[in-house]
Amino acid sequence: MIKNTRTLGEFIIKHQLAFPYSTGELSNLINGIRLAAKVVGHEVNKAGLVDILGSYGETNIQGENQQKLDVFANEKFIQALDNREIVCGIASEEEEDFIALNSSDKKNNNKYVVLIDPLDGSSNIDVNVSVGTIFSIYRRISPIGSPVQLEDFLQPGKNQVAAGYVVYGTSTMIVYTTGDGVNGFTLNPAIGSFYLSHPNIKFPKKGNIYSVNEGNYVHFPEGVKKYIKYCQKEEEDRPYTARYIGSMVSDFHRNMLKGGIYLYPNSEISRDGKLRLLYECNPMAFLAEQAGGKATDGKIRIMDIEPKELHQRVPFYCGSIEMLEKLEEFISIENNN
Ligand code: AHM
Ligand code: MG
């Protein structure tokens, strides 16, 4: 039986009509992401078939440039957003500096900036494991008509107007929020349309999955070590199950549907952790909160952190609210000792 036949396109139009003064620009922007997601998803799906896995800069047997998929994804998302004349600038994990769009003279009348991790977890591509794209959307701060500025990108996560991810898994899905709950859409590859498959997703308050790279355990802060031991202890509903794909989008997606916690702590080897605040942590934090979950750096709400740099890293803990609260208890006890 067909459960739900609403497409992403229909969903976007319906939701746009719900905002009386909406100009349709944000909807148009999400449509750009939808298009790029299909193009990248198509390429990811044939990664094992085509000669596309060589390193960037090499040429293949036909003399064409080979592109790594993260470079390919970066280009496709930038192109899709550039074509729509809504976005004034993009910051990407793949680019050292932000890119000013739609402006030969660097002036710009567009309202939005987008921050993006075009292919998160890309080391998983070579071994046929799910990867994802993460995006975060803000209104610019600098006046419309002026050149886009760094300050437009260095906004705290609580200013986000929309955020989401695409997961290229057993199926391709777009999951996003515009601050009114979280909805997930699954691609029907035969037709090329995304269908609303996961309306109004909610993080279970508590779960039994913990996701962390335990190989780094000895370097973790004491509070996190003790929390991991707590997860493993045979007591009440524990031990929890350990699940770590090494592709944050996929780990987050599973935890949001089933209930769980994702941890990427700071450590003796990486002082601020690994994950980037602006295009990895903030969008996931927005989704988590919209779904009733929580995201912190161990002390501070992720979306309250004032960013200082484009590629800033932060410790990242995210998931079911009761699991996060327990972790924070362990961290604060250690901090007060
Ligand atoms: P990337 O943006 O270079 O792919 O790095 C981010 C990824 C996350 O998706 C994943 O959770 C994490 O790095 C895995 O890191 P590690 O191999 O250190 O566990
Ligand atoms: Mg990444």
Side-chain angles (χ1 to χ4, degrees), residues 93 117 119-121 134 275-276 279-280:
E93 182 179 326
D117 182 352
L119 211 63
D120 186 61
I134 311 173
L275 299 178
R276 267 56 60 103
Y279 42 79
E280 291 179 323

Side-chain angles (χ1 to χ4, degrees), residues 158 220 321:
K158 62 187 171 199
F220 288 160
I321 194 154

Side-chain angles (χ1 to χ4, degrees), residues 37-98:
K38 280 196 253 186
V39 175
V40 173
H42 180 69
E43 210 62 19
V44 167
N45 286 155
K46 52 181 198 179
L49 289 174
V50 255
D51 196 10
I52 197 164
L53 297 176
S55 55
Y56 187 47
E58 285 175 13
T59 47
N60 66 13
I61 204 151
Q62 289 91 23
E64 296 158 347
N65 271 337
Q66 285 184 328
Q67 282 192 324
K68 272 172 69 173
L69 272 171
D70 37 17
V71 178
F72 177 87
N74 189 45
E75 270 179 27
K76 293 301 158 198
F77 275 95
I78 292 174
Q79 257 170 27
L81 296 171
D82 196 7
N83 287 344
R84 286 175 192 246
E85 307 203 354
I86 303 155
V87 177
C88 57
I90 297 186
S92 161
E93 182 179 326
E94 295 293 324
E95 311 278 345
E96 197 175 328
D97 226 332
F98 65 84

Side-chain angles (χ1 to χ4, degrees), residues 182-334:
V182 177
N183 292 284
F185 302 83
T186 303
L187 180 66
N188 178 344
I191 300 167
S193 294
F194 284 95
Y195 286 89
L196 178 61
S197 51
H198 296 67
N200 199 17
I201 304 176
K202 290 287 170 212
F203 245 111
K205 286 201 173 345
K206 196 166 187 295
N208 69 349
I209 297 171
Y210 72 104
S211 312
V212 62
N213 184 344
E214 265 181 270
N216 296 328
Y217 180 87
V218 292
H219 303 291
F220 288 160
E222 278 310 309
V224 176
K225 281 185 183 166
K226 289 197 172 141
Y227 178 72
I228 292 174
K229 286 291 159 219
Y230 165 87
C231 293
Q232 296 168 342
K233 194 162 182 192
E234 276 198 42
E235 209 170 79
E236 298 163 359
D237 58 345
R238 287 165 283 134
Y240 296 153
T241 299
R243 288 282 182 273
Y244 189 69
I245 296 168
S247 210
M248 189 194 24
V249 171
S250 318
D251 278 312
F252 177 94
H253 185 69
R254 182 207 50 241
N255 289 354
M256 181 162 67
L257 296 182
K258 293 193 164 179
I261 183 168
Y262 174 93
L263 308 96
Y264 210 109
N266 53 310
S267 70
E268 287 159 9
I269 41 179
S270 54
R271 203 172 44 98
D272 298 314
K274 174 182 184 188
L275 299 178
R276 267 56 60 103
L277 173 63
L278 290 176
Y279 42 79
E280 291 179 323
C281 304
N282 270 336
M284 291 317 207
F286 191 19
L287 288 161
E289 288 194 10
Q290 282 294 316
K294 191 170 180 182
T296 78
D297 72 351
K299 274 189 277 188
I300 303 169
R301 178 186 178 222
I302 288 292
M303 290 203 288
D304 282 340
I305 298 174
E306 291 288 338
K308 300 201 169 43
E309 297 164 26
L310 222 43
H311 299 285
Q312 182 173 336
R313 295 173 197 268
V314 284
F316 187 55
Y317 307 103
C318 179
S320 293
I321 194 154
E322 288 180 18
M323 300 177 90
L324 259 289
E325 284 166 0
K326 194 64 179 174
L327 167 73
E328 282 170 342
E329 253 175 67
F330 279 97
I331 292 177
S332 90
I333 291 169
E334 282 308 315

